[in-house]
Every structure is written in C-alpha cells, then in structure tokens.
Amino acid sequence: MNYNTKISSKSIIPKHVAIIMDGNGRWANEKGNIRITGHKAGIKSVRNSVRFAITNKISSLTLYAFSSENWKRPKQEISSLMDLFIFALDTEVKTLHNSNVILKIIGDTTPFSEHLKDKIFKAQDLTKNNVGLHLNIAANYGGRWDIVNSVKQIYKKIKNGDFPIDEINEKTINNHICMNDQKNVDLVIRTGGEQRISNFLLWQIAYAEFYFTNVLWPDFNEIIFQDALDAFSKRKRRYGGTENK
Ligand code: IPE
Ligand code: IPE
Ligand code: MG
C-alpha cells in the first residue's frame, strides 16, 4: 500500500476532512531533538495527506497549522514556524498547482510578515482557478475568531443598509464564515493523543464525525488516514433524526 492507495469503492468517502496536526514537539523530544525538527518532519505528512486526499477524491482537506493561541509559544519556536511556512510555500506550491489543487490560507494573516503575506497572496492567486482538491491551511486561525469575523462582516452590511436585520439566520453566518464555498466538514482527525478541538473549526463541525489517534503527526501515514476513513464509513449519521428517517 502507498499514498496513492485508493480505498474500497464501497466506502463512503467524506467530502471534507479537517486534521489537527498535533504531536510534532513530542515526536522531536522522543528523539532527543529540538521541537522544530518535529515541525519540519511534519511537512512530509502534509504532502502525503494531500496525495491521499487527491487519490481518494476527497473534495476538501483542511489542515490546522498554527492556532490563534500558538502565539503563546516561545519566540524562537514561533519564528522558526514562520520560516518553515515560507519554506513550505516555496517548495510545495508548484507541485500543488500541477496537481490542480486550490490552495487557501484561512485565518487572520494580518500579523504575518509582508514577505509571508506576499507568498500567501501569490500562491492563492496562482491556484485559484484550479478545479481539484481544496486545500485549506489554517494559519493564525481560531474558530472563535472565524465567527467574530463573520459577525463583523454582517454588521457592516447592516450598517450600510445592505442587509435587513430580521433576515439574519444560520445561512447568513454560513455565507460569511471561512470555507463558505466548500462542503461542511464531515470528519475531523486529531493526531497526538489529545481529544479536544483547541479552537479549530467550531461552526463548521456542527455535525462532523471525530477520529482521534495517538500517532504523532510526523508519523501520520496513509494507513492511519485510511483507518480514519474506514471508521467514518461505519458511522451512522442521523443529524438529529432517526436511522430510518
Ligand atoms: C502541532 O504540534 C503543531 C503546532 C501546533 C504548530 P505541537 O507543536 O503542538 O506538538 P506537541 O503537542 O507539543 O507535541
Ligand atoms: C492545536 O495544537 C493547534 C495545531 C495543531 C495547529 P496545540 O498543541 O496548540 O493544542 P493544545 O494547546 O494542546 O490544546
Ligand atoms: Mg500540541
């Protein structure tokens, strides 16, 4: 089996998979290395996950790379992570583009350096007309920020008289939240053993299924991805209804 392995056609493939890529620091520590070596090793898992998602015709893959709370980390780790982000854009974007991937960065990019912002802008612009996998990288992303941001945009429209307040409903929030052009999240995978959301997607996971694994992100591979898809395939999604409707 390899990353191009296609799972059995009987399986139900989630349209949108979101992954909390956790455990890089512990992976490095276990090997007696500094934390950033774990982040660097994690790039391979990202690459392989993208390949697996393309092969299995998943429509959207959303990866949690840096949370709005990760600024609490030591300055040195943050700056290494920013450098790594630039490096990953430099090395991966061409292949992503050739693979028809639409790359989007979700999150508040305003605190990023001009250099990084420029790379992000160019990568998104280059891939925006592609028609393959939607790859969303969550960087300085927080689920609460996303909802607040949506509310701010709606408020602006109300203030300008472009939107009647009585017409605000779930769809209104949906239309202003990140990834509103894509399917709802069906499956959230978290590596690294923790069983929490850590302010990742909140609105978008209302009816998502969850798959937690102790495997640390740099060790994530297609077998674990497939295990997650197999588990998803066996879940009975009722959306509040009953099985027989
Ligand atoms: C996840 O790995 C990557 C980021 C949050 C940037 P961690 O760095 O959180 O690794 P652990 O959880 O400390 O092992
Ligand atoms: C979540 O991991 C964020 C990312 C994977 C980018 P954290 O390591 O920051 O989560 P906590 O602090 O354990 O909740
Ligand atoms: Mg962690």
Side-chain angles (χ1 to χ4, degrees):
M1 198 172 357
N2 60 40
Y3 289 100
N4 295 318
T5 304
K6 209 170 171 172
I7 68 168
S8 132
S9 56
K10 275 188 213 140
S11 301
I12 301 159
I13 303 289
K15 291 195 169 64
H16 191 157
V17 178
I19 308 183
I20 303 177
M21 311 184 288
D22 198 18
N24 294 349
R26 279 165 283 165
W27 185 90
N29 280 344
E30 277 176 9
K31 295 184 158 40
N33 292 326
I34 52 165
R35 294 176 57 83
I36 191 68
T37 57
H39 298 313
K40 280 184 188 155
I43 293 181
K44 181 172 61 68
S45 305
V46 170
R47 205 177 289 137
N48 293 335
S49 302
V50 169
R51 281 235 302 274
F52 186 87
I54 293 172
T55 308
N56 285 287
K57 299 205 163 41
I58 289 168
S59 313
S60 295
L61 179 67
T62 301
L63 303 177
Y64 205 9
F66 191 87
S67 80
S68 45
E69 287 71 36
N70 287 147
W71 297 106
K72 292 178 190 160
R73 295 189 175 205
K75 271 205 179 99
Q76 182 55 52
E77 181 171 349
I78 294 170
S79 102
S80 301
L81 280 167
M82 295 299 148
D83 290 346
L84 203 56
F85 197 5
I86 292 171
F87 170 79
L89 285 168
D90 282 342
T91 53
E92 307 299 321
V93 167
K94 205 170 162 204
T95 314
L96 292 174
H97 183 47
N98 290 338
S99 309
N100 226 342
V101 169
I102 306 137
L103 179 68
K104 231 174 239 164
I105 309 303
I106 60 165
D108 180 7
T109 58
T110 42
F112 293 163
S113 69
E114 290 308 316
H115 185 51
L116 177 52
K117 279 193 264 198
D118 184 55
K119 300 252 173 217
I120 289 173
F121 176 82
K122 286 187 175 136
Q124 293 187 143
D125 196 54
L126 177 73
T127 61
K128 69 179 181 211
N129 294 323
N130 288 341
V131 293
L133 173 75
H134 283 273
L135 175 63
N136 311 293
I137 306 291
N140 192 23
Y141 178 88
R144 289 175 174 171
W145 164 84
D146 196 357
I147 295 168
V148 169
N149 196 42
S150 159
V151 170
K152 275 187 187 164
Q153 290 176 55
I154 297 163
Y155 176 72
K156 267 188 210 152
K157 290 185 183 169
I158 293 169
K159 215 173 138 206
N160 293 340
D162 295 340
F163 204 91
I165 200 156
D166 293 339
E167 282 181 24
I168 294 182
N169 55 28
E170 285 188 15
K171 254 197 190 138
T172 322
I173 305 272
N174 264 325
N175 291 342
H176 293 85
I177 209 137
C178 288
M179 307 189 292
N180 53 47
D181 57 330
Q182 297 165 48
K183 301 280 181 204
N184 274 331
V185 175
D186 295 302
L187 172 66
V188 178
I189 299 170
R190 181 167 187 149
T191 62
E194 312 296 351
Q195 302 195 1
R196 55 178 173 248
I197 292 299
S198 302
N199 199 18
F200 193 26
L201 311 163
L202 296 177
W203 180 272
Q204 298 89 336
I205 59 166
Y207 268 103
E209 299 293 324
F210 291 84
Y211 184 86
F212 297 104
T213 169
N214 289 332
V215 167
L216 305 172
W217 178 248
D219 291 330
F220 187 79
N221 59 30
E222 86 286 4
I223 296 170
I224 303 144
F225 206 152
Q226 179 161 344
D227 278 349
L229 294 197
D230 288 346
F232 174 83
S233 205
K234 291 190 192 111
R235 304 274 173 90
K236 298 260 181 291
R237 303 181 84 191
R238 288 183 283 272
Y239 299 97
T242 56
E243 228 165 283
N244 301 318
K245 292 192 179 154

